[in-house]
Amino acid sequence: MIKKKLLKQLSNNTLSFNARVKLCNQHLERCGKGSARRVYHWSKNRVIKLAYNKKGVAQNQAELNLWETTEDRNLCKIYNHDGWNLYWLI
């Protein structure tokens, strides 16, 4: 249940990017970092990609757009995202 609560908090429009990173650092194990997103272990076979600036949101949007237009969605699945904001992808 803690993960559902965490997703709800991460989707809050009033949180800053730094506050979202802090939440994930407190509750999840980080497994990677790029110029605009951090990647955390979500489950055995899944990760959550957390944007920590506007560039990261754009990267999440581009990744979601690519996934939505690909023919083989089983190659890499996007299981969940936070709707219009795209602060995170799983």
Side-chain angles (χ1 to χ4, degrees):
M1 242 359 120
I2 191 165
K3 289 186 178 177
K4 277 188 173 185
K5 185 177 178 182
L6 180 59
L7 289 182
K8 187 174 182 178
Q9 291 173 318
L10 292 174
S11 300
N12 184 337
N13 286 334
T14 62
L15 282 183
S16 68
F17 288 114
N18 287 336
R20 286 185 189 85
V21 169
K22 187 176 178 180
L23 276 170
C24 283
N25 286 341
Q26 290 172 345
H27 299 287
L28 302 170
E29 178 186 353
R30 193 174 89 189
C31 60
K33 178 183 175 191
S35 64
R37 298 186 294 182
R38 290 189 183 190
V39 181
Y40 297 88
H41 289 282
W42 186 255
S43 67
K44 182 179 178 182
N45 298 322
R46 297 179 187 167
V47 297
I48 183 169
K49 295 181 180 181
L50 179 71
Y52 58 87
N53 56 35
K54 289 181 181 181
K55 183 180 171 187
V57 172
Q59 288 175 0
N60 281 348
Q61 181 66 61
E63 190 170 331
L64 180 62
N65 290 346
L66 181 63
W67 179 78
E68 288 177 336
T69 59
T70 189
E71 290 183 25
D72 187 4
R73 290 188 176 179
N74 291 320
L75 182 62
C76 181
K77 290 191 174 194
I78 294 180
Y79 292 94
N80 202 349
H81 58 86
D82 68 338
W84 295 104
N85 298 316
L86 290 169
Y87 296 129
W88 55 267
L89 294 174
I90 295 177

